[in-house]
mmCIF file of all heavy atoms in Angstrom:
data_model
loop_
_atom_site.group_PDB
_atom_site.id
_atom_site.type_symbol
_atom_site.label_atom_id
_atom_site.label_comp_id
_atom_site.label_asym_id
_atom_site.label_seq_id
_atom_site.Cartn_x
_atom_site.Cartn_y
_atom_site.Cartn_z
ATOM 1 N N ARG A 1652 247.321 75.928 61.618
ATOM 2 C CA ARG A 1652 248.417 75.742 60.644
ATOM 3 C C ARG A 1652 248.795 74.238 60.961
ATOM 4 O O ARG A 1652 248.783 73.783 62.113
ATOM 5 C CB ARG A 1652 249.486 76.633 60.906
ATOM 6 C CG ARG A 1652 250.147 76.661 62.225
ATOM 7 C CD ARG A 1652 251.384 77.677 62.222
ATOM 8 N NE ARG A 1652 251.877 77.747 63.570
ATOM 9 C CZ ARG A 1652 252.855 76.920 64.137
ATOM 10 N NH1 ARG A 1652 253.116 75.809 63.500
ATOM 11 N NH2 ARG A 1652 253.181 77.005 65.370
ATOM 12 N N GLU A 1653 249.425 73.585 60.019
ATOM 13 C CA GLU A 1653 249.995 72.319 60.239
ATOM 14 C C GLU A 1653 251.376 72.433 60.867
ATOM 15 O O GLU A 1653 252.014 73.442 60.814
ATOM 16 C CB GLU A 1653 250.128 71.530 58.816
ATOM 17 C CG GLU A 1653 248.853 71.075 58.212
ATOM 18 C CD GLU A 1653 249.113 70.350 56.965
ATOM 19 O OE1 GLU A 1653 250.180 70.470 56.389
ATOM 20 O OE2 GLU A 1653 248.109 69.534 56.554
ATOM 21 N N THR A 1654 251.841 71.364 61.597
ATOM 22 C CA THR A 1654 253.129 71.295 62.144
ATOM 23 C C THR A 1654 254.097 71.100 60.947
ATOM 24 O O THR A 1654 253.709 70.731 59.859
ATOM 25 C CB THR A 1654 253.287 70.139 63.127
ATOM 26 O OG1 THR A 1654 252.792 68.961 62.510
ATOM 27 C CG2 THR A 1654 252.429 70.431 64.281
ATOM 28 N N SER A 1655 255.375 71.186 61.235
ATOM 29 C CA SER A 1655 256.469 71.132 60.186
ATOM 30 C C SER A 1655 256.494 69.695 59.502
ATOM 31 O O SER A 1655 256.709 69.588 58.280
ATOM 32 C CB SER A 1655 257.724 71.416 60.704
ATOM 33 O OG SER A 1655 258.140 70.595 61.747
ATOM 34 N N ASP A 1656 256.013 68.684 60.267
ATOM 35 C CA ASP A 1656 256.123 67.369 59.656
ATOM 36 C C ASP A 1656 254.716 66.973 59.116
ATOM 37 O O ASP A 1656 254.626 65.981 58.412
ATOM 38 C CB ASP A 1656 256.427 66.303 60.694
ATOM 39 C CG ASP A 1656 255.526 66.223 61.960
ATOM 40 O OD1 ASP A 1656 254.531 66.794 61.980
ATOM 41 O OD2 ASP A 1656 255.936 65.560 62.897
ATOM 42 N N GLY A 1657 253.739 67.839 59.247
ATOM 43 C CA GLY A 1657 252.431 67.672 58.613
ATOM 44 C C GLY A 1657 251.579 66.601 59.248
ATOM 45 O O GLY A 1657 250.482 66.324 58.799
ATOM 46 N N GLU A 1658 252.024 66.147 60.394
ATOM 47 C CA GLU A 1658 251.306 65.103 61.116
ATOM 48 C C GLU A 1658 250.348 65.481 62.053
ATOM 49 O O GLU A 1658 249.377 64.799 62.447
ATOM 50 C CB GLU A 1658 252.378 64.090 61.782
ATOM 51 C CG GLU A 1658 253.113 63.258 60.822
ATOM 52 C CD GLU A 1658 254.082 62.311 61.502
ATOM 53 O OE1 GLU A 1658 253.962 62.252 62.784
ATOM 54 O OE2 GLU A 1658 254.776 61.618 60.863
ATOM 55 N N ARG A 1659 250.370 66.833 62.470
ATOM 56 C CA ARG A 1659 249.377 67.282 63.478
ATOM 57 C C ARG A 1659 249.177 68.742 63.039
ATOM 58 O O ARG A 1659 249.610 69.304 62.085
ATOM 59 C CB ARG A 1659 249.860 67.296 64.814
ATOM 60 C CG ARG A 1659 250.286 65.816 65.263
ATOM 61 C CD ARG A 1659 250.997 65.791 66.636
ATOM 62 N NE ARG A 1659 251.381 64.472 67.091
ATOM 63 C CZ ARG A 1659 252.506 63.922 66.617
ATOM 64 N NH1 ARG A 1659 253.351 64.613 65.895
ATOM 65 N NH2 ARG A 1659 252.661 62.717 67.046
ATOM 66 N N GLY A 1660 248.319 69.404 63.942
ATOM 67 C CA GLY A 1660 247.995 70.840 63.572
ATOM 68 C C GLY A 1660 248.003 71.681 64.823
ATOM 69 O O GLY A 1660 247.618 71.208 65.931
ATOM 70 N N VAL A 1661 248.307 73.017 64.629
ATOM 71 C CA VAL A 1661 248.180 73.982 65.723
ATOM 72 C C VAL A 1661 247.091 74.893 65.421
ATOM 73 O O VAL A 1661 246.915 75.480 64.468
ATOM 74 C CB VAL A 1661 249.484 74.754 65.771
ATOM 75 C CG1 VAL A 1661 249.420 75.938 66.847
ATOM 76 C CG2 VAL A 1661 250.831 73.950 65.997
ATOM 77 N N VAL A 1662 246.180 74.864 66.519
ATOM 78 C CA VAL A 1662 245.018 75.623 66.469
ATOM 79 C C VAL A 1662 244.915 76.665 67.484
ATOM 80 O O VAL A 1662 245.135 76.346 68.731
ATOM 81 C CB VAL A 1662 243.834 74.851 66.523
ATOM 82 C CG1 VAL A 1662 242.462 75.532 66.382
ATOM 83 C CG2 VAL A 1662 243.718 73.671 65.365
ATOM 84 N N THR A 1663 244.546 77.899 67.220
ATOM 85 C CA THR A 1663 244.333 79.053 68.227
ATOM 86 C C THR A 1663 243.008 79.445 68.170
ATOM 87 O O THR A 1663 242.308 79.462 67.270
ATOM 88 C CB THR A 1663 245.290 80.234 67.967
ATOM 89 O OG1 THR A 1663 246.595 79.782 67.894
ATOM 90 C CG2 THR A 1663 244.972 81.271 69.021
ATOM 91 N N MET A 1664 242.314 79.457 69.441
ATOM 92 C CA MET A 1664 240.979 79.799 69.670
ATOM 93 C C MET A 1664 240.869 80.941 70.665
ATOM 94 O O MET A 1664 241.649 81.013 71.651
ATOM 95 C CB MET A 1664 240.180 78.590 70.236
ATOM 96 C CG MET A 1664 240.075 77.570 69.232
ATOM 97 S SD MET A 1664 239.353 76.017 70.124
ATOM 98 C CE MET A 1664 240.839 75.349 70.762
ATOM 99 N N HIS A 1665 240.095 82.111 70.350
ATOM 100 C CA HIS A 1665 239.713 82.982 71.330
ATOM 101 C C HIS A 1665 238.591 82.622 72.201
ATOM 102 O O HIS A 1665 237.492 82.511 71.599
ATOM 103 C CB HIS A 1665 239.510 84.396 70.475
ATOM 104 C CG HIS A 1665 239.386 85.612 71.431
ATOM 105 N ND1 HIS A 1665 240.435 86.085 72.203
ATOM 106 C CD2 HIS A 1665 238.274 86.314 71.795
ATOM 107 C CE1 HIS A 1665 239.937 87.073 72.881
ATOM 108 N NE2 HIS A 1665 238.632 87.206 72.620
ATOM 109 N N VAL A 1666 238.815 82.427 73.436
ATOM 110 C CA VAL A 1666 237.861 81.981 74.414
ATOM 111 C C VAL A 1666 237.244 83.168 75.108
ATOM 112 O O VAL A 1666 237.942 83.983 75.691
ATOM 113 C CB VAL A 1666 238.405 80.938 75.304
ATOM 114 C CG1 VAL A 1666 237.283 80.410 76.152
ATOM 115 C CG2 VAL A 1666 239.042 79.728 74.409
ATOM 116 N N GLU A 1667 235.942 83.297 75.165
ATOM 117 C CA GLU A 1667 235.241 84.445 75.984
ATOM 118 C C GLU A 1667 234.377 83.620 77.002
ATOM 119 O O GLU A 1667 233.537 82.663 76.711
ATOM 120 C CB GLU A 1667 234.513 85.256 75.116
ATOM 121 C CG GLU A 1667 235.383 85.951 74.129
ATOM 122 C CD GLU A 1667 234.511 86.791 73.167
ATOM 123 O OE1 GLU A 1667 233.351 86.375 72.837
ATOM 124 O OE2 GLU A 1667 235.015 87.952 72.907
ATOM 125 N N ALA A 1668 234.328 84.057 78.284
ATOM 126 C CA ALA A 1668 233.489 83.680 79.318
ATOM 127 C C ALA A 1668 232.469 84.707 79.644
ATOM 128 O O ALA A 1668 232.905 85.998 79.796
ATOM 129 C CB ALA A 1668 234.258 83.292 80.514
ATOM 130 N N TYR A 1669 231.194 84.452 79.820
ATOM 131 C CA TYR A 1669 230.186 85.516 80.062
ATOM 132 C C TYR A 1669 229.380 85.093 81.376
ATOM 133 O O TYR A 1669 229.160 84.042 81.533
ATOM 134 C CB TYR A 1669 229.224 85.511 78.907
ATOM 135 C CG TYR A 1669 229.684 86.116 77.574
ATOM 136 C CD1 TYR A 1669 230.360 85.332 76.768
ATOM 137 C CD2 TYR A 1669 229.606 87.522 77.360
ATOM 138 C CE1 TYR A 1669 230.945 85.774 75.510
ATOM 139 C CE2 TYR A 1669 230.092 88.046 76.144
ATOM 140 C CZ TYR A 1669 230.798 87.116 75.314
ATOM 141 O OH TYR A 1669 231.212 87.655 74.151
ATOM 142 N N ARG A 1670 229.062 86.241 82.074
ATOM 143 C CA ARG A 1670 227.939 85.981 83.109
ATOM 144 C C ARG A 1670 226.636 85.981 82.553
ATOM 145 O O ARG A 1670 226.366 86.925 81.768
ATOM 146 C CB ARG A 1670 228.189 87.166 84.140
ATOM 147 C CG ARG A 1670 227.153 86.983 85.333
ATOM 148 C CD ARG A 1670 227.090 88.193 86.171
ATOM 149 N NE ARG A 1670 228.323 88.543 86.730
ATOM 150 C CZ ARG A 1670 229.126 89.637 86.541
ATOM 151 N NH1 ARG A 1670 228.614 90.570 85.660
ATOM 152 N NH2 ARG A 1670 230.316 89.834 87.170
ATOM 153 N N VAL A 1671 225.841 85.008 82.759
ATOM 154 C CA VAL A 1671 224.453 84.884 82.106
ATOM 155 C C VAL A 1671 223.516 85.704 83.002
ATOM 156 O O VAL A 1671 223.336 85.482 84.174
ATOM 157 C CB VAL A 1671 224.042 83.333 82.316
ATOM 158 C CG1 VAL A 1671 222.711 83.207 81.593
ATOM 159 C CG2 VAL A 1671 224.980 82.438 81.495
ATOM 160 N N GLU A 1672 223.074 86.632 82.324
ATOM 161 C CA GLU A 1672 222.096 87.646 82.896
ATOM 162 C C GLU A 1672 220.885 87.750 82.114
ATOM 163 O O GLU A 1672 220.877 87.438 80.830
ATOM 164 C CB GLU A 1672 222.732 88.924 83.206
ATOM 165 C CG GLU A 1672 223.981 88.826 83.992
ATOM 166 C CD GLU A 1672 224.659 90.203 84.055
ATOM 167 O OE1 GLU A 1672 224.977 90.944 83.140
ATOM 168 O OE2 GLU A 1672 225.173 90.577 85.266
ATOM 169 N N ASN A 1673 219.835 88.408 82.632
ATOM 170 C CA ASN A 1673 218.583 88.719 81.885
ATOM 171 C C ASN A 1673 219.055 89.848 80.935
ATOM 172 O O ASN A 1673 219.627 90.888 81.331
ATOM 173 C CB ASN A 1673 217.546 89.163 82.738
ATOM 174 C CG ASN A 1673 216.977 88.014 83.628
ATOM 175 O OD1 ASN A 1673 217.051 86.942 83.122
ATOM 176 N ND2 ASN A 1673 216.488 88.302 84.748
ATOM 177 N N GLY A 1674 218.744 89.694 79.523
ATOM 178 C CA GLY A 1674 219.169 90.711 78.622
ATOM 179 C C GLY A 1674 220.590 90.387 78.054
ATOM 180 O O GLY A 1674 220.808 89.219 77.834
ATOM 181 N N ALA A 1675 221.370 91.342 77.973
ATOM 182 C CA ALA A 1675 222.767 91.116 77.488
ATOM 183 C C ALA A 1675 223.647 90.452 78.517
ATOM 184 O O ALA A 1675 223.825 90.896 79.602
ATOM 185 C CB ALA A 1675 223.255 92.355 77.084
ATOM 186 N N ASP A 1676 224.239 89.357 78.167
ATOM 187 C CA ASP A 1676 225.276 88.757 79.085
ATOM 188 C C ASP A 1676 226.581 89.575 79.135
ATOM 189 O O ASP A 1676 226.809 90.426 78.271
ATOM 190 C CB ASP A 1676 225.667 87.336 78.661
ATOM 191 C CG ASP A 1676 224.565 86.346 78.726
ATOM 192 O OD1 ASP A 1676 223.462 86.707 79.317
ATOM 193 O OD2 ASP A 1676 224.634 85.229 78.041
ATOM 194 N N THR A 1677 227.124 89.416 80.298
ATOM 195 C CA THR A 1677 228.384 90.375 80.551
ATOM 196 C C THR A 1677 229.754 89.480 80.460
ATOM 197 O O THR A 1677 229.947 88.477 80.945
ATOM 198 C CB THR A 1677 228.350 90.886 82.053
ATOM 199 O OG1 THR A 1677 227.094 91.658 82.070
ATOM 200 C CG2 THR A 1677 229.606 91.808 82.242
ATOM 201 N N LEU A 1678 230.655 89.999 79.643
ATOM 202 C CA LEU A 1678 231.951 89.450 79.455
ATOM 203 C C LEU A 1678 232.732 89.485 80.639
ATOM 204 O O LEU A 1678 232.970 90.631 81.196
ATOM 205 C CB LEU A 1678 232.734 90.099 78.118
ATOM 206 C CG LEU A 1678 234.163 89.569 77.852
ATOM 207 C CD1 LEU A 1678 234.047 88.093 77.431
ATOM 208 C CD2 LEU A 1678 234.743 90.394 76.798
ATOM 209 N N VAL A 1679 233.211 88.431 81.274
ATOM 210 C CA VAL A 1679 234.005 88.557 82.502
ATOM 211 C C VAL A 1679 235.480 88.042 82.296
ATOM 212 O O VAL A 1679 236.322 88.261 83.147
ATOM 213 C CB VAL A 1679 233.303 87.568 83.617
ATOM 214 C CG1 VAL A 1679 232.062 88.334 83.958
ATOM 215 C CG2 VAL A 1679 233.150 86.256 83.145
ATOM 216 N N CYS A 1680 235.731 87.234 81.094
ATOM 217 C CA CYS A 1680 237.154 86.865 81.018
ATOM 218 C C CYS A 1680 237.292 86.495 79.547
ATOM 219 O O CYS A 1680 236.290 85.936 78.836
ATOM 220 C CB CYS A 1680 237.359 85.512 81.762
ATOM 221 S SG CYS A 1680 238.946 84.836 81.672
ATOM 222 N N GLU A 1681 238.485 86.741 78.966
ATOM 223 C CA GLU A 1681 238.724 86.394 77.577
ATOM 224 C C GLU A 1681 240.279 86.050 77.552
ATOM 225 O O GLU A 1681 241.131 86.756 78.076
ATOM 226 C CB GLU A 1681 238.329 87.366 76.683
ATOM 227 C CG GLU A 1681 238.917 88.834 76.736
ATOM 228 C CD GLU A 1681 238.412 89.782 75.670
ATOM 229 O OE1 GLU A 1681 238.194 89.305 74.526
ATOM 230 O OE2 GLU A 1681 238.300 91.000 76.077
ATOM 231 N N PHE A 1682 240.625 85.220 76.587
ATOM 232 C CA PHE A 1682 242.070 84.825 76.316
ATOM 233 C C PHE A 1682 242.152 84.016 75.056
ATOM 234 O O PHE A 1682 241.123 83.509 74.475
ATOM 235 C CB PHE A 1682 242.465 83.928 77.478
ATOM 236 C CG PHE A 1682 241.719 82.807 77.905
ATOM 237 C CD1 PHE A 1682 241.955 81.544 77.317
ATOM 238 C CD2 PHE A 1682 240.679 82.965 78.780
ATOM 239 C CE1 PHE A 1682 241.178 80.573 77.557
ATOM 240 C CE2 PHE A 1682 239.819 81.844 78.985
ATOM 241 C CZ PHE A 1682 240.157 80.588 78.379
ATOM 242 N N ASP A 1683 243.327 83.868 74.542
ATOM 243 C CA ASP A 1683 243.633 83.003 73.353
ATOM 244 C C ASP A 1683 244.266 81.651 73.920
ATOM 245 O O ASP A 1683 245.179 81.747 74.724
ATOM 246 C CB ASP A 1683 244.673 83.719 72.462
ATOM 247 C CG ASP A 1683 244.038 84.933 71.838
ATOM 248 O OD1 ASP A 1683 242.799 84.802 71.556
ATOM 249 O OD2 ASP A 1683 244.739 85.897 71.616
ATOM 250 N N ARG A 1684 243.678 80.624 73.518
ATOM 251 C CA ARG A 1684 244.211 79.210 73.810
ATOM 252 C C ARG A 1684 244.663 78.508 72.493
ATOM 253 O O ARG A 1684 244.043 78.458 71.571
ATOM 254 C CB ARG A 1684 242.858 78.459 74.280
ATOM 255 C CG ARG A 1684 243.292 77.043 74.611
ATOM 256 C CD ARG A 1684 242.089 76.187 75.124
ATOM 257 N NE ARG A 1684 242.296 74.859 75.332
ATOM 258 C CZ ARG A 1684 241.559 73.891 74.886
ATOM 259 N NH1 ARG A 1684 240.360 74.118 74.314
ATOM 260 N NH2 ARG A 1684 241.937 72.596 75.066
ATOM 261 N N THR A 1685 245.952 78.070 72.595
ATOM 262 C CA THR A 1685 246.620 77.497 71.397
ATOM 263 C C THR A 1685 246.748 76.100 71.822
ATOM 264 O O THR A 1685 247.435 75.667 72.817
ATOM 265 C CB THR A 1685 247.831 78.086 71.104
ATOM 266 O OG1 THR A 1685 247.567 79.546 70.615
ATOM 267 C CG2 THR A 1685 248.483 77.517 69.811
ATOM 268 N N VAL A 1686 246.414 75.066 70.912
ATOM 269 C CA VAL A 1686 246.619 73.723 71.121
ATOM 270 C C VAL A 1686 247.182 72.907 70.061
ATOM 271 O O VAL A 1686 247.266 73.442 68.842
ATOM 272 C CB VAL A 1686 245.071 73.036 71.386
ATOM 273 C CG1 VAL A 1686 244.412 73.732 72.510
ATOM 274 C CG2 VAL A 1686 244.299 73.080 70.063
ATOM 275 N N LEU A 1687 247.752 71.797 70.285
ATOM 276 C CA LEU A 1687 248.348 70.947 69.283
ATOM 277 C C LEU A 1687 247.369 69.812 69.085
ATOM 278 O O LEU A 1687 247.023 68.978 70.048
ATOM 279 C CB LEU A 1687 249.636 70.356 69.751
ATOM 280 C CG LEU A 1687 250.455 69.350 68.852
ATOM 281 C CD1 LEU A 1687 250.849 70.191 67.503
ATOM 282 C CD2 LEU A 1687 251.748 68.885 69.456
ATOM 283 N N ALA A 1688 246.694 69.710 67.972
ATOM 284 C CA ALA A 1688 245.558 68.823 67.747
ATOM 285 C C ALA A 1688 245.993 67.701 66.826
ATOM 286 O O ALA A 1688 246.824 67.819 65.958
ATOM 287 C CB ALA A 1688 244.469 69.703 66.989
ATOM 288 N N GLU A 1689 245.420 66.630 67.123
ATOM 289 C CA GLU A 1689 245.378 65.435 66.135
ATOM 290 C C GLU A 1689 244.847 65.673 64.775
ATOM 291 O O GLU A 1689 243.783 66.391 64.702
ATOM 292 C CB GLU A 1689 244.943 64.166 66.887
ATOM 293 C CG GLU A 1689 245.647 63.676 68.106
ATOM 294 C CD GLU A 1689 245.134 62.537 68.632
ATOM 295 O OE1 GLU A 1689 244.033 62.070 68.295
ATOM 296 O OE2 GLU A 1689 245.674 61.858 69.597
#
Side-chain angles (χ1 to χ4, degrees):
R1652 61 178 175 82
E1653 291 186 337
T1654 55
S1655 58
D1656 60 10
E1658 294 185 358
R1659 302 174 184 84
V1661 177
V1662 180
T1663 298
M1664 292 166 279
H1665 185 70
V1666 182
E1667 297 176 322
Y1669 291 88
R1670 179 191 300 118
V1671 178
E1672 299 176 320
N1673 293 328
D1676 294 346
T1677 300
L1678 180 67
V1679 295
C1680 182
E1681 61 180 322
F1682 53 90
D1683 291 325
R1684 175 186 176 221
T1685 300
V1686 304
L1687 185 62
E1689 294 181 347

